Amino acid sequence: MLSVRAEECLRGLRNPAVSPFAPPGHTVEEVPVDVVLPCLNEAAALPWILTRMPSGYRPIVVDNGSNDGSGAVARERGAKVVDVSTPGYGAACHAGILAASSAIVCVMDADATLDPADLPRLVDPVLAGRADLVLGRRRATGPGAFPLHARAGNAALALMLRRRGVRALHDVSPMRAANRAQLLGLHIKDRGFGYPLELIIRAAAAGLRIAERDVPYRPRVGRSKVTGTWSGTMRTVRDMRRVLNA
């Protein structure tokens, strides 16, 4: 005898218009999705990002100490803005997920390297009950989109994760969709750049179904805080090494 949850998931597989996350009588298209956008000085990129949100996707811009008016730009365009004084990528992600109210939540960078219009590719498998966490596997659209040293570091991390049993993973991606309750239940501790790595490790350990979907990756607007500076690269390496050694 199947559980109620299993029956709901099977219904979603048989009929893509039905989702275990949709209230009775509602379709997948009517399920709201909150999109967390960790933000530090992204005023130039935010206008494009916010105009690219699919219908039903609600942006939450988490301002992590910007001094370029990013928060004001986001508010002027109707986005919810959460101000977070604690520095760190993980701190911004966590605050945004806490501020979200949808059953499924997305996280993505706010620098225009990724297109919000691609988010349904990640959300659909979660909505249908086929995956619990879906990562956007970045595919560079041209020169400068994904620097060689960043690509090599990312590949090395993904290999380490596969050796730990996280199968079919190729990208420790900044674009992801997941069940919000399950994310919070992972109790991720890192508040720096190690956050996405710890998320994947804990998700795999908890038995969550992890999947990937290809997404285009573009040159960012402005300078990267991670791969664009040596200090950013070193902070990322330090945070991720700490997670791997925990």
Side-chain angles (χ1 to χ4, degrees):
M1 181 120 181
L2 292 174
S3 67
V4 172
R5 170 67 176 169
E7 287 283 8
E8 289 173 339
C9 290
L10 283 173
R11 281 207 329 271
L13 290 172
R14 296 186 194 113
N15 180 2
V18 175
S19 166
F21 293 94
H26 291 71
T27 64
V28 166
E29 290 76 12
E30 296 172 300
V31 177
V33 177
D34 289 328
V35 182
V36 176
L37 297 159
C39 173
L40 177 59
N41 294 329
E42 303 291 4
L46 280 171
W48 182 81
I49 286 283
L50 296 175
T51 60
R52 298 289 295 172
M53 287 288 159
S55 177
Y57 286 61
R58 307 178 302 201
I60 301 175
V61 175
V62 185
D63 193 344
N64 201 203
S66 299
N67 57 20
D68 68 345
S70 291
V73 169
R75 288 187 181 94
E76 287 168 1
R77 286 159 178 79
K80 180 177 182 177
V81 177
V82 177
D83 294 305
V84 177
S85 57
T86 303
Y89 174 79
C93 289
H94 183 65
I97 292 168
L98 287 177
S101 59
S102 58
I104 294 175
V105 65
C106 296
V107 178
M108 63 174 288
D109 286 348
D111 57 7
T113 53
L114 295 159
D115 188 347
D118 294 320
L119 285 172
R121 298 187 195 180
L122 280 61
V123 169
D124 287 350
V126 183
L127 275 173
R130 297 193 300 270
D132 302 306
L133 170 64
V134 182
L135 306 170
R137 184 181 181 184
R138 290 169 287 181
R139 299 293 195 175
T141 58
F146 207 165
L148 182 59
H149 66 281
R151 197 178 306 183
N154 182 66
L157 285 170
L159 178 60
M160 291 178 196
L161 288 169
R162 290 199 297 275
R163 286 174 175 170
R164 286 179 172 228
V166 186
R167 299 177 181 176
L169 181 77
H170 303 87
D171 191 358
V172 183
S173 176
M175 186 185 221
R176 48 196 177 268
N179 179 318
R180 177 177 175 271
Q182 288 179 329
L183 275 185
L184 292 174
L186 295 176
H187 303 295
I188 301 166
K189 301 183 185 303
D190 194 277
R191 294 297 180 259
F193 290 122
Y195 179 95
L197 186 62
E198 184 182 352
L199 185 158
I200 294 169
I201 291 172
R202 286 180 176 262
L208 271 61
R209 296 162 299 167
I210 302 172
E212 286 183 316
R213 294 292 184 272
D214 287 354
V215 293
Y217 195 57
R218 301 163 179 80
R220 67 160 285 137
V221 173
R223 193 179 190 188
S224 171
K225 287 85 174 173
V226 180
T227 59
T229 66
W230 277 108
S231 61
T233 300
M234 293 306 295
R235 283 199 309 274
T236 303
V237 170
R238 178 201 65 199
D239 290 352
M240 290 194 172
R241 182 177 294 162
R242 182 175 62 240
V243 170
L244 286 170
N245 292 335

